[in-house]
Every structure is written in structure tokens, then in C-alpha cells.
Amino acid sequence: MTADNPAQQGRLRALSPAVQHKLEELAQTVQARRDGGLEAALRIVNTDEGRGHMRAAETVLAAMLTDEQRLLDERLAQNDARAAWVRWLVIAGSALAVLTLLWAARLLNQAWSRSYETEAEQRALALRLRTTLDSLSQGVAVFGPDRTLASWNECFVVLLDLPKAMLRPGTTYSAFVEHTSEPDRPSLETEDQIRHGRRNPREAVTYERERADGHHLEIRRTPMPDGGFVLTISDMTKRAQAEGVLREAQKMQAIGQLTGGIAHDFNNLLQVILGNLEFVRAKLTDDARLQQRIERAAWAAQRGATLTGQLLAFARKQPLAPAAIDLAATMPDLIPLLRRTLGEHIEVRYVETAGLWPAMADPAQLEAAVLNLALNARDAMPGGGRLTIEPATRCWTRSMRATTPKSFPATTPWWLSPTPATA
């Protein structure tokens, strides 16, 4: 233990002979006790030789203890100084750590506040985007690069008539293709068409499809930079119907113009025939049989003139001439015209009513109005039905009723009734 202290090593070397002499003296005393008895041992003890050796050893040990105590005090003082320094370092480190933790907590609080605000903004933005998508009249669906569904709106579900089980993120595009495809009538592009359909992969693709229920769909596929695409579906049924109505209107306009021209020419021919018949009637006053035939021919020509007047009214080329009209006598003449116009799939039924009041109207315009109402009734019954016409004196009201047959599952009975005038 004192190998690093030369002074103590010297004292140990000085202590060794004294200890050795003391041990030898003790050995001689023990041997004398055994050989000569107690008196012989006391004589050796009373010489004080052993006490001298003990004092020499005690002196060396006292010096060693004093030196060791001094070293111990120095080392304790050094340890106390180091402990005080370490204590101050620990206090300073703890204070610095507390300050660092407080600063980190402040930074974390600020980061959390910013993250919460950003999350709230993102949530509000997502809600606005979802509301905007759901408010669109077009179906929108986003597919990722792996051809799986990422997001969609309600109109997309309605237009493709999709079940709720398919409406989850991760549904493959091929599942939608398989669900919407019908025999000989695919609704969506296949994955092979998407992969090999266009040379430019960034170009949007637009195509049209017709569902089995008659709805016309316009489908647009817009690629995204990440490899996915956005599928937009628009219901073009109303536009197709509007185009059909426009074509029908143009057709009716052309027919009206053609009808007006033919009616004018035919009316001129009938006027020539009527004039010649009147001239012949004046010449043949004696022959009753010929007079009767001439009157029949004149009646037929006059009826033809009436029909040309109706055609001119249909073509809007005849001036208005309001007059008191007996509906009971006028309406039956229109029924054959309505039957020929509406077609065989519409049954036209006329119900006679007694005691009708005269109506003040232009005859041609009245016939045109009844014809237009009948055409509207025909359009309301695409699968066929029955059109019932019944004039009645109820505050100057005439109603028309169109009833679909029981086998046609479309709508409730269709009614057309002008607003009653003040009695």
C-alpha cells in the first residue's frame, strides 16, 4: 500500500529489524519458560530489551501513522475540493438542463400549436374539397399509381350505380371495370387500353358510353404526375335529350315550312276546282243528279280547303280570326287527325259532353293547341297508352288526360289542364 511512498518504504525497512528482535526476544522468553521455569523467563523480561525493541517499532509506526494521516488529510481536502467543484458543476448542469428543457418545451409547444393550426387548416380544406366534390353534378374518382381507388364523390357512385361494398380506399380499378361492364357494352376502359391506348401518357382521354337504362355518360380520364389518374363522369342524358328536342324542333320547323308551301299551292288548286264547280253548277241547273254530284265534289273541295287551313295554321302562316266555336261539332273532326299524328301505340278516346258553351277562339289556333297538347301527351307515354279528350264547361276549362297502360312501369297518369279563367 505504500509502494508509491519512498519515505514510508524506508520506515518499513527500519521497522523490520525491531520487529524481528522483538520476536526473537519473545521466542527466548517462551523457551526459557519451558526450560527453566517462570523465574528464568522473568529474568529475560526484566532486562527491558524487548521494551526497547517495542519502543523503536512504536516510534517507526507513529511516524508512519503521522505521515499517513497527513496524506489522508491532504487527500480528503482534495476530495472535498473536487466534490465542491463537482457539486457546482452538477448544479450548473442541472440549471442548464432545466433551461434547455424549458426552451425545448417552448419550442415543442410552438411546433404543436403550428401543427394543430396546420391540421385544422388541412381538415377545413379537406372538408371544403369534399363538399365541393359532392356538390358537383359530375362523378369524380381519383386512382393512385397502383390503379387503386383513393377518393371519390357521391355523384360517381350514383352515375355508375356502385354498391357500398366497393366504396373503400384500395379497391382496384379492374373491379370497377368488371362491375360496370355489360355484355357487348363496356362502360370503362380496361387497364390494357389505359396502358396502350395513347402514345402520349399525359394526354387526357374522353369517350362516351351508354348505359342499359338509356343514360349517356361522358367519361374523361386525366393522368396525374405520380402515375395515377382522375376519372370524371358526366351525365349527358339531358344534353342528348335537348339535342333531340332541338332536332325535332328543327324538323318540325322544316315540316312547317314545307307544309305551308304545299298548303298554299294546294289551296290555290282547290280554289280553281271550286270555281270550276260553281261555273258548272250554274250551267247544269236542269240535271238533278249532276247537281248532287257537283255538290259532293264541292263539299270535298271545301273540306280540302279546311284541311289546308289547318296545315297553314300548323305552319303559323295564317292570320288570327277569332270566332264563336261550337266545340261539340269541332272536336270530333280533329280526332282522326290526332290518331294519324300520334300513331297506333296511342289510343285516342273522345268523350262527348252536352251543353257546352261556345268558345271564342281562332279555329286553326285551337286545333293547333289541341294538337300540341296531344303531342306532349304522346311524349309522356313513350311505351304507349290512352289519350282521353273530354271538353267541359267549368269556368272555361278543357282538360286532357293521358293514362299509361298498367304494363308500363314509368309514371303516374299525366294531366294537362289550362289554368281556369275567372268565371
Side-chain angles (χ1 to χ4, degrees), residues 351-387:
V351 179
E352 295 183 357
T353 305
L356 291 177
W357 295 353
M360 181 62 68
D362 183 88
Q365 292 296 322
L366 177 62
E367 294 174 359
V370 174
L371 180 61
N372 288 332
L373 292 176
L375 292 176
N376 290 338
R378 181 196 63 184
D379 294 338
M381 299 182 292
R386 176 188 299 168
L387 173 63

Side-chain angles (χ1 to χ4, degrees), residues 160 187-189 205-209 217-221 231-234:
L160 291 184
S187 293
L188 299 176
E189 290 179 304
V205 178
T206 303
Y207 54 96
E208 294 184 0
R209 292 288 187 269
L217 302 180
E218 183 182 78
I219 304 174
R220 180 180 179 88
R221 177 174 55 82
L231 205 63
T232 306
I233 303 177
S234 304

Side-chain angles (χ1 to χ4, degrees), residues 197-378:
R198 292 293 183 94
R199 295 182 179 178
N200 187 3
R202 298 183 179 180
E203 184 178 356
V205 178
T206 303
Y207 54 96
E208 294 184 0
R209 292 288 187 269
E210 183 178 358
R211 296 195 326 192
D213 55 1
H215 282 266
H216 295 269
L217 302 180
E218 183 182 78
I219 304 174
R220 180 180 179 88
R221 177 174 55 82
T222 305
M224 293 190 301
D226 60 353
F229 57 89
V230 178
L231 205 63
T232 306
I233 303 177
S234 304
D235 190 355
M236 309 304 293
T237 305
K238 293 184 178 179
R239 189 183 73 176
Q241 292 176 352
E243 292 176 353
V245 171
L246 178 60
R247 287 193 297 269
E248 289 295 331
Q250 293 174 350
K251 185 188 300 183
M252 292 298 293
Q253 182 180 3
I255 292 175
Q257 293 176 355
L258 178 62
T259 302
I262 295 175
H264 272 296
D265 295 338
F266 189 59
N267 191 33
N268 293 333
L269 295 175
L270 289 175
Q271 294 301 323
V272 173
I273 294 173
L274 287 174
N276 289 322
L277 289 175
E278 290 295 332
F279 179 76
V280 172
R281 180 188 299 175
K283 296 293 184 179
L284 300 175
T285 57
D286 297 335
D287 194 342
R289 181 177 293 181
L290 289 178
Q291 285 288 338
Q292 186 178 3
R293 292 182 177 180
I294 290 173
E295 287 178 0
R296 290 179 180 178
W299 179 86
Q302 189 64 39
R303 181 58 183 166
T306 303
L307 291 176
T308 57
Q310 293 176 355
L311 292 176
L312 288 173
F314 176 76
R316 304 293 194 272
K317 293 185 177 181
Q318 184 177 12
L320 296 177
I325 302 174
D326 184 5
L327 295 179
T330 304
M331 293 302 297
D333 296 335
L334 287 176
I335 301 304
L337 177 62
L338 294 178
R339 289 195 177 101
R340 291 192 299 270
T341 304
L342 300 182
E344 296 179 355
H345 67 291
I346 302 295
E347 178 186 355
V348 180
R349 178 184 175 190
Y350 174 70
V351 179
E352 295 183 357
T353 305
L356 291 177
W357 295 353
M360 181 62 68
D362 183 88
Q365 292 296 322
L366 177 62
E367 294 174 359
V370 174
L371 180 61
N372 288 332
L373 292 176
L375 292 176
N376 290 338
R378 181 196 63 184

Side-chain angles (χ1 to χ4, degrees), residues 14 19 113 121 166 192 223 250 315 333 349 363 395 402 416:
V19 173
S113 299
E121 293 177 357
M166 296 183 64
D192 292 337
Q250 293 174 350
D333 296 335
R349 178 184 175 190
C395 297
L416 277 176

